[in-house]
Amino acid sequence: MTFTATVFIGTSLDGYIARPDDDIEWLTSRGEKAGDLGFFEFLDSVDAVIMGRNTYDKVIGFGEENWHYGDRHVGVLSTTLPEDADPRITVYRDLDTLVADLDQRGIKHVYPDGGRLVQSFIRAARVDRFIISVAPVLIGAGHRLFGELPDDVALRLDAVADLGGGFAQLRYTVEK
């Protein structure tokens, strides 16, 4: 058994997911005008959330009231986070172990979250869909959503939506 993975993420128009200092206020402050961008409906469709260490640290910094993952499986891919750091998560040391465990658990739909983690999933050909909400701002520098790739990744545009507040949402399927 194998899972499908959908990336749900916000970017600036120039393709950044965070400033160089990891700040995302440019996104969250503008996102208030557009609502949740469909995030909670999307989250209801997944059985596992996998994030990188930096994203985990950012989520924890939002406070307990912003832990929106409920009972679904939450994993963190990290070589430095202690395995017993948080009883709500499973810490994975490498992508192969993570994928094998998700398959063993019978996970069907995964939400990979975090720049480097998403890039790892893309390079491993583990992303099936992208839902990208584009904020109406150019920030000029920071962490890009997409990194270097060994090969092209062909995409099929499924939908484009005006979410209000100047946000556009792009939905793509990875052509395999």
Side-chain angles (χ1 to χ4, degrees), residues 13-65:
L13 181 58
D14 50 351
Y16 295 101
I17 59 172
R19 293 190 186 280
D21 64 357
D22 298 327
D23 175 62
I24 60 169
E25 187 277 335
W26 58 269
L27 176 64
T28 56
S29 64
R30 287 173 177 81
E32 291 171 4
K33 296 175 186 169
D36 76 359
L37 307 172
F39 176 74
F40 292 108
E41 180 181 346
F42 166 73
L43 191 59
D44 285 344
S45 77
V46 302
D47 6 47
V49 177
I50 305 299
M51 59 187 84
R53 171 69 187 267
N54 289 343
T55 301
Y56 171 73
D57 288 343
K58 181 68 77 176
V59 167
I60 293 302
F62 290 148
E64 198 66 33
E65 68 278 5

Side-chain angles (χ1 to χ4, degrees), residues 16-171:
Y16 295 101
I17 59 172
R19 293 190 186 280
D21 64 357
D22 298 327
D23 175 62
I24 60 169
E25 187 277 335
W26 58 269
L27 176 64
T28 56
S29 64
R30 287 173 177 81
E32 291 171 4
K33 296 175 186 169
D36 76 359
L37 307 172
F39 176 74
F40 292 108
E41 180 181 346
F42 166 73
L43 191 59
D44 285 344
S45 77
V46 302
D47 6 47
V49 177
I50 305 299
M51 59 187 84
R53 171 69 187 267
N54 289 343
T55 301
Y56 171 73
D57 288 343
K58 181 68 77 176
V59 167
I60 293 302
F62 290 148
E64 198 66 33
E65 68 278 5
N66 289 304
W67 183 266
H68 301 294
Y69 309 119
D71 293 336
R72 62 186 55 78
H73 179 72
V74 177
V76 177
L77 183 62
S78 172
T79 58
T80 59
L81 187 66
E83 291 184 9
D84 61 353
D86 185 334
R88 301 171 295 185
I89 67 168
T90 300
V91 176
Y92 298 98
R93 298 297 183 212
D94 61 73
L95 191 60
D96 291 338
T97 303
L98 183 155
V99 168
D101 187 54
L102 295 180
D103 281 340
Q104 181 179 9
R105 290 172 183 268
I107 299 294
K108 292 180 175 59
H109 190 198
V110 174
Y111 164 33
D113 190 21
R116 286 186 292 208
L117 179 81
V118 167
Q119 291 173 14
S120 295
F121 266 62
I122 293 168
R123 283 191 299 274
R126 296 301 316 198
V127 175
D128 299 282
R129 288 180 296 279
F130 290 95
I131 302 172
I132 302 171
S133 299
V134 181
V137 63
L138 303 170
I139 65 172
H143 303 288
R144 290 202 172 275
L145 173 55
F146 302 109
E148 291 185 24
L149 298 169
D151 298 299
D152 292 352
V153 176
L155 305 172
R156 181 186 72 238
L157 180 63
D158 297 321
V160 177
D162 178 346
L163 300 180
F167 277 79
Q169 191 171 78
L170 310 171
R171 293 176 179 254

